[in-house]
Amino acid sequence: MAAERDAEGQAAARPLLTDFYQATMALGYWRAGRAQDPAEFELFFRRCPFGGAFALAAGLRDCLRFLRTFRLLDSDVRFLASMLPPDTEPAFLAHLRALDCSAVTVRALPEGSLAFPGVPLLQVSGPLLLVQLLETPLLCLVSYASLVATNAARLRLIAGPNKRLLELGLRRAQGPDGGLTASTYCYLGGFDSSSNVLAGQLRGVPVAGTLAHSFITSFSGSEVPPDPMLAPASGKGPRVDLVASVKLWLERVCAHLGLGLQDPHRGERAAFVAYALAFPQAFQGLLDTYSVWRSGLPNFLAVALALGEMGYRAVGVRLDSGDLLQQAQEIRRAFQTTAAQFQAPWLEAVPIAVSNNIDEEELARLAQEGSEVNIIGIGTSVVTCPQQPSLGCVYKLVSVGGQPRMKLTEDPEKQTLPGSKAAFRLLGSDGSLLLDLLQLAEESPPQAGQELRVWPRGAQEPCTVRPAQVEPLLRLWLQQGKLCEPLPSLAESRAFAQQSLSRLSPAHRRLQSPAMYQVALSEKLRALVDSLSAGGLP
C-alpha cells in the first residue's frame, strides 16, 4: 500500500497513540488463531452533545491519513515487546512489524454531515487483530474533532450568518495537537478564520489576527521611528512624514471629541504609528490598553485619518474589556460623527472586533439586532467545549466472520446494534428531514414513495413512514487500503456543514430544549436485536 508521508499526515497520529489493552488483545487474538478473522467495528456516539439535537461528523480526513500511513516501526515493536510477557512469540512481533492497512475498508459519513446517536460515523472492516488495534487512535481522531466542530456550529447558529467569527483558542487549547485540531474543525463548523498559523500552513485554514496589549505597552512615546516617511497608497506623489501628520490630526480629533491633547497616551500613539508604518494597508487599533475614550479612540482616529489622507483605509478596531456591546455602539457613533466632520465616509464602516471570554450567552447578546459588532473573537469557550468536554464516542464490534455480534450489558443504553449495517436519511416532499434509518446491509435499500414500517429507537411500538426522498449516508472512502475518491477540501467540507445545518428544522436546530431527531431500525434489524437479546449469540 502506498504511504502518504506528508507533514499533515504525520501530525495526525502515530500507531502507538493507543491504549495498552489493544496490544494485549492483539496477542490474545494471535494466540487464539484469530488474527485474520474478518471483522467489522462501528464508531458512533450515544447522545448529542451540549444538550442539543445534532452533531457534526468530523475527523475523517485525519483518520484516512492515519490509516494510509499506519505502520509500526521497529522501535514501536521493541517497546511493545518490552511490555508484553517474556514468552511472546517472535512470530507475533514479526506480524506486528508487517501490519499495514492494505486490508482495511472504511465507510463513513462525509465530514460536515449531520450526525445523530447510534448512526455510525465510521464503519471499519478488516482483519480482527488489526481493526482492534485501530480503536483508540480512531476514537481520538474523531471524538474531539466532531465535538469541537459541533460546538463551533452552535456558536455560528447563535451569531447568525453575517458576523465574522475568529477562533483565538490556541493558547487555551489542550496541548499542541488539541490546538491544531480545534482550529481545523472550528473552521469546518462555521468559523471564518483562526489565529493559529500552523493550521493555516498544514490545513489551509484562513489565518487572521490583530495585535496584543504588550505591543502597545512596549512603547513609551519617546521612540523615534527609523523612517517615519510613508508613500501614498497610489504610489504616486511625495512621501509623507506619518508622525507629523498624526500629530496634526490628533489636534483636530481631540477638538472634535472634546478632549485635551494631553489625554491620549503618547506610548499608545507611538505604537499605533509603528504598526501603521509596518502595515499601512492593514492598520487596526486595539483600543482598551489605557482608556478607550480618552486614549485608544482618539489615537486610532488620528492615525486612521492620517493614513486616509494618503489613500489607505484602516481595517478595524478591537475591544477586549468592558461592556463590549455598549462600547461598540458608542464607537460606531463616534466613527459616524467623525466621518461627517472630516468628510471621510469610509470611516463609518470600519469593522469593530470584540473578544474577552465570550460564551454562548454573551455571543447571543453581541449578535442581537442593532449590534454594531462585526467580528467576534472566541477562544476558551470554543476550543475547550466547557459545556461538555467529551462527545463520548465508542467503537464497537458488530460482526466477526460474517456473524453479528452484540453487547448486551446491564445498561440498556450501552447495548449495541449487531451486524453490518447501512444507513439512510428519509426526507419529506418538502426536503425536510424525517428520520435516519438503520438496517442490515443485506436488506434492499428503502425507496422513495415506499411505505416503511420502522422501529424508532427507544419506542415500544413501530411506526410507518413514506419518504419522498431517500439519501444513503455512509460512503465508501477506503477499500482494501486504497482511497476510493479524493477527499473534499476543508473549505468544501465547511460549506457542506453549513448546507447540512440549514436543512435542520427550527425545532431540531434550537439550542435550548430542542426536539429530538428520530433514528429508527428496520424491522429485520429490530428482529435481530430481539433475537440476540433473548437468546444470546447465534
Side-chain angles (χ1 to χ4, degrees):
M1 186 183 76
E4 187 181 60
R5 297 288 179 184
D6 61 293
E8 186 180 353
Q10 289 296 298
R14 295 171 58 182
L16 288 195
L17 186 72
T18 192
D19 293 307
F20 181 50
Y21 79 172
Q22 310 293 1
T24 60
M25 285 189 286
L27 179 57
Y29 289 139
W30 169 267
R31 287 181 167 171
R34 306 196 60 206
Q36 298 295 339
D37 286 4
E40 183 172 330
F41 285 79
E42 290 180 349
L43 192 156
F44 59 94
F45 59 89
R46 295 189 175 105
R47 293 185 183 182
C48 289
F50 313 117
F54 69 89
L56 284 183
L60 176 62
R61 66 189 63 243
D62 290 335
C63 291
L64 294 178
R65 286 189 182 95
F66 168 70
L67 295 173
R68 297 183 70 203
T69 60
F70 181 92
R71 196 69 185 253
L72 287 160
L73 304 175
D74 286 343
S75 58
D76 297 334
V77 176
R78 287 196 300 270
F79 181 74
L80 287 175
S82 74
M83 301 180 68
L84 292 170
D87 63 345
T88 298
E89 298 89 332
F92 171 70
L93 301 178
H95 181 77
L96 294 181
R97 286 189 182 92
L99 282 179
D100 61 23
C101 289
S102 57
V104 172
T105 294
V106 174
R107 290 177 172 81
L109 295 177
E111 282 199 308
S113 297
L114 291 170
F116 300 103
V119 178
L121 302 175
L122 269 71
Q123 292 176 326
V124 184
S125 58
L128 177 58
L129 182 154
L130 173 58
V131 291
Q132 180 73 71
L133 280 176
L134 299 177
E135 174 181 3
T136 304
L138 292 181
L139 283 169
C140 185
L141 291 169
V142 170
S143 295
Y144 178 60
S146 298
L147 183 75
V148 78
T150 305
N151 197 25
R154 287 172 61 89
L155 293 167
R156 169 52 69 192
L157 288 173
I158 294 170
N162 298 322
K163 303 295 184 189
R164 287 167 56 195
L165 295 180
L166 169 61
E167 177 267 311
L168 304 171
L170 178 58
R171 64 187 61 195
R172 304 285 185 253
Q174 293 92 336
D177 293 336
L180 180 60
T181 300
S183 298
T184 301
Y185 293 106
C186 282
Y187 178 64
L188 183 145
F191 273 54
D192 296 286
S193 54
S194 170
S195 65
N196 188 339
V197 177
L198 187 62
Q201 181 191 34
L202 294 183
R203 303 299 181 89
V205 176
V207 176
T210 58
L211 64 160
H213 294 103
S214 56
F215 182 83
I216 294 169
T217 58
S218 73
F219 288 82
S220 67
S222 62
E223 298 83 5
V224 177
D227 181 7
M229 307 302 289
L230 185 64
S234 65
K236 299 176 182 178
R239 299 172 76 215
V240 174
D241 185 333
L242 186 62
V243 174
S245 179
V246 167
K247 184 177 180 181
L248 293 174
W249 272 108
L250 184 65
E251 294 178 7
R252 302 172 69 185
V253 167
C254 285
H256 169 64
L257 296 178
L259 297 171
L261 274 175
Q262 75 281 0
D263 289 335
H265 195 283
R266 293 175 61 235
E268 181 181 60
R269 186 163 60 258
F272 284 178
V273 168
Y275 199 85
L277 287 169
F279 301 99
Q281 301 278 9
F283 171 63
Q284 51 193 314
L286 177 57
L287 302 188
D288 65 341
T289 303
Y290 300 111
S291 167
V292 171
W293 305 109
R294 295 197 315 273
S295 185
L297 179 62
N299 278 330
F300 169 79
L301 289 172
V303 177
L305 288 165
L307 288 172
E309 208 171 34
M310 303 169 65
Y312 298 102
R313 299 292 180 259
V315 299
V317 296
R318 179 163 72 96
L319 298 165
D320 191 50
S321 59
D323 188 325
L324 302 174
L325 179 67
Q326 180 180 342
Q327 289 184 95
Q329 291 170 330
E330 294 170 353
I331 287 169
R332 181 67 66 206
R333 285 195 292 270
F335 284 172
Q336 291 165 346
T337 62
T338 306
Q341 175 71 21
F342 299 115
Q343 292 78 52
W346 53 268
L347 185 59
E348 295 186 9
V350 168
I352 299 173
V354 298
S355 56
N356 188 23
N357 292 322
I358 294 169
D359 57 15
E360 287 189 358
E361 182 179 354
E362 177 65 6
L363 178 60
R365 184 169 174 265
L366 295 170
Q368 65 184 270
E369 187 175 353
S371 169
E372 293 293 349
V373 172
N374 306 107
I375 304 167
I376 302 170
I378 306 178
T380 304
S381 65
V382 66
V383 304
T384 66
C385 302
Q387 291 188 65
Q388 182 176 328
S390 173
L391 181 54
C393 286
V394 293
Y395 181 90
K396 298 300 181 183
L397 182 69
V398 296
S399 73
V400 178
Q403 296 300 309
R405 291 293 184 265
M406 179 180 179
K407 175 183 174 182
L408 294 176
T409 189
E410 302 297 326
D411 183 350
E413 186 185 36
K414 299 185 76 172
Q415 288 185 358
T416 60
L417 296 175
S420 181
K421 291 180 281 296
F424 300 90
R425 185 154 292 157
L426 310 186
L427 293 85
S429 57
D430 58 354
S432 60
L433 309 187
L434 301 178
L435 57 82
D436 282 8
L437 176 66
L438 296 174
Q439 63 177 51
L440 295 172
E442 65 199 43
E443 297 183 66
S444 299
Q447 301 298 314
Q450 171 191 3
E451 186 172 277
L452 303 170
R453 192 167 183 260
V454 300
W455 289 81
R457 297 200 70 183
Q460 300 303 312
E461 298 292 335
C463 68
T464 58
V465 60
R466 189 187 300 273
Q469 303 173 57
V470 176
E471 295 179 354
L473 293 178
L474 299 168
R475 287 167 62 174
L476 181 63
W477 294 99
L478 198 70
Q479 187 167 36
Q480 299 296 301
K482 294 183 178 179
L483 199 61
C484 297
E485 60 177 293
L487 278 171
S489 70
L490 187 60
E492 289 170 335
S493 294
R494 179 182 184 273
F496 179 63
Q498 295 309 302
Q499 177 190 4
S500 298
L501 289 166
S502 71
R503 302 174 71 190
L504 277 173
S505 71
H508 295 130
R509 194 184 304 130
R510 193 168 58 234
L511 301 185
Q512 303 297 327
S513 303
M516 290 296 108
Y517 183 81
Q518 279 194 341
V519 175
L521 312 184
S522 70
E523 286 200 284
K524 192 168 184 178
L525 177 55
R526 172 60 186 253
L528 178 62
V529 169
D530 290 344
S531 172
L532 296 183
S533 298
L537 290 173

